[in-house]
Amino acid sequence: MSAKSNRYTPETAAVRAFVDPEMGTQAISPSMVMSVNHCFDPQQGAFSAQGVEDLSEAPYLYAGWSNPTVDQLEQRLAHLEGAEACLTTATGMAAIAGLFLSLLKQGDHLIISDVCYAGVYEFATQVLPDYGITVTAVDTSDITQVLSEVRKNTKLVHIETPSNPLLTLTDIKALASELKKSGTLLSVDATFSTPVITKPLAFGADFVVHSLTKFINGHGDVLGGAILGSKSHLNQVRARAGVYLGATLSAQSAWLIMRGMETLYPRMKTLCSSALSLATWLEHHPRVKRVLYPGLASHHQFALAQQQMTLFGGIIAFQVDDIDLIQQRFVNESHVFYYAFSIGHQRSLAVAMKTDELDQSTYHFTEEKRAAFRAFAGDGVIRLSIGLEATEDLQQELEHLLR
């Protein structure tokens, strides 16, 4: 397959793009370049991040800056997302931190989702203010609220869609269109959706961020993150985060993530199908008070989900009548669902996310925001990350745990 060919479907591109038989051995599987150092010609000048416009085009010298295996992963991810460029990092949080610290400086203003991944929320609200960066958390599912907080010094709006853990959505196209009027950048954490479901850049976002640890790798055995966008934006981020923050993705991790992403499309189709079936079943269970899943007609943003998502994701959140009891059953009696944090594994995971605990540890809600959160989550939700097990086995286990 031609590396730059656009005439193949995304499913084929995930498997074949930027993968050619290796010269000499004719090996089909990509090779892994583990060397930290590369020989260079001093007559070509000493390599430095300073003065190099595009570090992705610089010669290989030191793996802290670039590596052939990592570069191959970045090319393949960019192809999947329809992005000009990609920077991978050691973790998803490193991608977020790298993006924020590359774009924002003292005196700038950042807007984030008021309900999002705990590490992102805590980094934005507890760490960035120490560097003179002002942060406002709003309900980004309500674009009017976002726009009401945009100031002259607002440099970036960062959203999650679907959000963690309430699975609320943000209309990427509508928000991007409005933010362009003020020159404010928009980044989208699309970890829950992956390129299979939503491609934020196609809707006008400036950046898309992934925790590669989750669905894209899909095997729960490696950490990684990615930032994707235009070449000019990524040059800026790479020159800072890619060189000076030290959160470089290793070649072995990049190789493992490439292995995982080659099955991304069939995996997502399988687990999304199971998730929709299970969410529909849960909605009619007598112990379940509410199911949060974008693919249900009962979801308050179902119409937006149909417009913005090709599938509805592998994450389900639901309220139960006694969250403490159900949590203990998942911990002590579950055999198919592992009780664990994280998402996107090939094996199904479950965890209780209690409202009071999230409030105390991360969000520190105002009374108004606590009431808004409780309107969706009640005392808390059970979050399921659906894996590749048979749907009937997952349902049978849920029937036992929810008895």
Side-chain angles (χ1 to χ4, degrees):
M1 175 181 176
S2 172
K4 296 182 183 285
S5 174
N6 291 319
R7 66 188 187 88
Y8 291 94
T9 63
E11 289 89 338
T12 301
V15 178
R16 300 294 297 273
F18 294 92
V19 178
D20 295 307
E22 187 179 69
M23 292 182 63
T25 67
Q26 293 298 298
I28 295 173
S29 182
S31 297
M32 187 192 308
V33 179
M34 292 293 291
S35 180
V36 171
N37 307 101
H38 297 260
C39 294
F40 69 101
D41 184 351
Q43 293 183 350
Q44 295 178 347
F47 172 73
S48 168
Q50 300 296 326
V52 179
E53 183 177 340
D54 183 359
L55 291 176
S56 67
E57 301 294 333
Y60 295 118
L61 180 68
Y62 180 61
W65 297 318
S66 61
N67 167 274
T69 307
V70 175
D71 283 358
Q72 186 177 22
L73 171 62
E74 291 177 352
Q75 291 171 333
R76 298 180 74 180
L77 286 169
H79 192 87
L80 278 188
E81 278 287 3
E84 289 183 352
C86 172
L87 171 67
T88 55
T89 57
T91 65
M93 267 309 302
I96 293 290
L99 180 66
F100 289 179
L101 294 175
S102 295
L103 298 180
L104 303 170
K105 63 182 185 305
Q106 183 177 7
D108 286 340
H109 177 230
L110 166 70
I111 296 174
I112 63 167
S113 301
D114 61 354
V115 175
C116 60
Y117 177 61
V120 174
Y121 190 91
E122 292 164 6
F123 176 72
T125 59
Q126 298 176 27
V127 178
L128 291 183
D130 291 343
Y131 296 89
I133 298 165
T134 306
V135 180
T136 303
V138 303
D139 177 4
T140 60
S141 69
D142 183 347
I143 293 177
T144 302
Q145 284 193 38
V146 179
L147 298 178
S148 70
E149 295 292 343
V150 173
R151 312 168 188 172
K152 290 183 178 180
N153 64 333
T154 304
K155 182 67 68 69
L156 179 69
V157 173
H158 178 75
I159 65 173
E160 284 184 3
T161 184
S163 69
N164 182 17
L166 298 185
L167 299 173
T168 55
L169 309 178
T170 298
D171 188 330
I172 302 170
K173 184 176 182 180
L175 181 57
S177 177
E178 290 296 324
L179 292 177
K180 288 187 188 308
K181 297 175 183 178
S182 62
T184 305
L185 298 172
L186 174 63
S187 65
V188 179
D189 187 328
T191 296
F192 272 33
S193 57
T194 79
V196 176
I197 295 174
T198 303
K199 295 184 178 180
L201 300 178
F203 288 103
D206 298 288
F207 299 95
V208 59
V209 181
H210 291 288
S211 172
L212 301 176
T213 311
K214 312 304 194 299
F215 289 107
I216 290 179
N217 171 55
H219 290 75
D221 54 9
V222 64
L223 296 168
I227 311 164
L228 301 102
S230 70
K231 204 163 192 42
S232 59
H233 282 143
L234 263 295
N235 285 348
Q236 177 184 353
V237 176
R238 188 183 297 276
R240 293 193 173 208
V243 175
Y244 300 118
L245 296 187
T248 306
L249 185 68
S250 73
Q252 185 174 28
S253 294
W255 191 92
L256 287 169
I257 292 166
M258 280 194 285
R259 170 218 57 187
M261 65 180 280
E262 291 187 352
T263 62
L264 176 62
Y265 275 83
R267 282 191 290 104
M268 292 303 294
K269 289 178 180 179
T270 297
L271 61 87
C272 286
S273 176
S274 289
L276 178 57
S277 177
L278 291 169
T280 302
W281 176 81
L282 283 166
E283 199 166 36
H284 296 93
H285 194 283
R287 297 211 71 160
V288 175
K289 299 168 68 175
R290 184 175 188 178
V291 180
L292 304 175
Y293 184 72
L296 296 177
S298 60
H299 192 283
H300 70 295
Q301 295 175 295
F302 180 57
L304 176 59
Q306 291 177 303
Q307 296 170 18
Q308 192 168 276
M309 306 174 75
T310 57
L311 299 168
F312 300 112
I315 307 298
I316 306 169
F318 62 97
Q319 293 182 40
V320 292
D321 55 8
D322 188 337
I323 191 169
D324 293 325
L325 172 64
I326 302 304
Q327 178 188 33
Q328 285 307 306
R329 286 183 178 171
F330 270 99
V331 172
N332 298 320
E333 301 180 30
S334 179
H335 300 288
V336 184
F337 288 93
Y338 286 97
Y339 192 83
F341 281 111
S342 198
I343 60 167
H345 292 217
Q346 74 274 39
R347 301 179 182 90
S348 292
L349 308 175
V351 70
M353 307 191 78
K354 299 180 181 180
T355 299
D356 288 343
E357 291 177 0
L358 290 172
D359 183 6
Q360 295 166 12
S361 66
T362 299
Y363 296 121
H364 309 294
F365 292 124
T366 63
E367 287 300 322
E368 181 181 1
K369 288 188 180 294
R370 186 181 298 109
F373 190 93
R374 283 190 177 277
F376 283 96
D379 292 334
V381 296
I382 303 293
R383 189 188 69 187
L384 304 179
S385 174
I386 304 304
L388 299 178
E389 303 91 348
T391 308
E392 53 264 37
D393 291 329
L394 295 170
Q395 182 175 321
Q396 182 178 356
E397 174 132 308
L398 289 172
E399 284 184 301
H400 170 71
L401 298 173
L402 294 172
R403 67 189 187 281

